[in-house]
Amino acid sequence: MEFKNNPLSFRIVHMFFTHPTVSFRAGVIFLMAGGLLSACEREQDPEAISPSMAVYFESVGQGQSAAFTDTMEVVVRDSVAWARLEGQLDTVLPIERIDFSTTMALLAAVPTPMGGTNILFESVEDDGASLIATYSIGMPGRDCRVIDGHAVPFQVVIVPRSDAPVRFEHGAELYPCTLR
């Protein structure tokens, strides 16, 4: 390389890697450059990106016991339908009052053969054609002690009133019970 023949270049490179202050600065610059490069993304096809907007949602109730034998994903837009459904939900704390003139309720309930499972809405999005309500099913990991017995965990959230159809999506996640 050229450094052998050029004593000034050799001294600069030598100082760059051996002098503590310069070496530290070089390391910081190197890390910053790497961070900037890793932040660059490939350009995505605009047709492949679905423009969706986050929709405000708020939990109004959840519990471990509902009178359902199958998975329920329900949209409730009026108080009459809510009165029939609410009677099938058993909660420790009462479910908050729902104003159906401005909001509607989304319910997800999943029967399980053991206690310790929970339902948690993660997001609600509007893709222009429908609302997409995403929730997770939190399941106890192998290190958890659970009660054997039928449970139907559920959560009810409210969202702004809409006539758009609602699509529910979910995923399951194991959670650990011990700290490691």
Side-chain angles (χ1 to χ4, degrees):
M1 299 210 57
E2 283 186 27
F3 298 124
K4 292 179 185 176
N5 297 336
N6 188 338
L8 180 60
S9 296
F10 178 76
R11 278 186 280 169
I12 291 172
V13 170
H14 178 70
M15 183 179 77
F16 192 78
F17 288 105
T18 59
H19 191 273
T21 305
V22 175
S23 183
F24 175 76
R25 288 182 186 152
V28 169
I29 291 169
F30 179 74
L31 289 174
M32 288 175 50
L36 289 173
L37 289 175
S38 67
C40 296
E41 289 185 30
R42 289 184 292 137
E43 188 174 322
Q44 294 182 347
D45 179 13
E47 303 274 331
I49 300 171
S50 64
S52 60
M53 303 245 330
V55 174
Y56 172 79
F57 69 96
E58 179 180 337
S59 177
V60 292
Q62 62 188 63
Q64 290 293 313
S65 181
F68 306 124
T69 56
D70 292 322
T71 297
M72 298 292 287
E73 297 172 337
V74 181
V75 179
V76 183
R77 290 185 167 94
D78 62 70
S79 57
V80 174
W82 176 246
R84 284 193 307 261
L85 189 64
E86 186 179 21
Q88 299 180 58
L89 306 174
D90 187 18
T91 62
V92 175
L93 299 173
I95 294 177
E96 295 177 29
R97 186 181 165 290
I98 300 172
D99 178 4
F100 287 101
S101 66
T102 58
T103 61
M104 61 185 189
L106 306 179
L107 164 77
V110 179
T112 62
M114 65 186 160
T117 303
N118 61 53
I119 303 296
L120 181 65
F121 276 88
E122 296 177 338
S123 68
V124 179
E125 295 180 0
D126 184 347
D127 69 0
S130 63
L131 297 179
I132 304 159
T134 304
Y135 65 92
S136 65
I137 304 168
M139 301 173 65
R142 292 182 186 259
D143 61 338
C144 299
R145 292 186 184 199
V146 296
I147 298 171
D148 288 333
H150 186 71
V152 185
F154 65 90
Q155 184 177 28
V156 179
V157 299
I158 56 171
V159 296
R161 186 168 182 76
S162 170
D163 291 328
V166 178
R167 184 174 80 231
F168 289 86
E169 295 181 353
H170 68 276
E173 298 178 16
L174 291 176
Y175 63 84
C177 291
T178 57
L179 300 175
R180 294 184 185 187

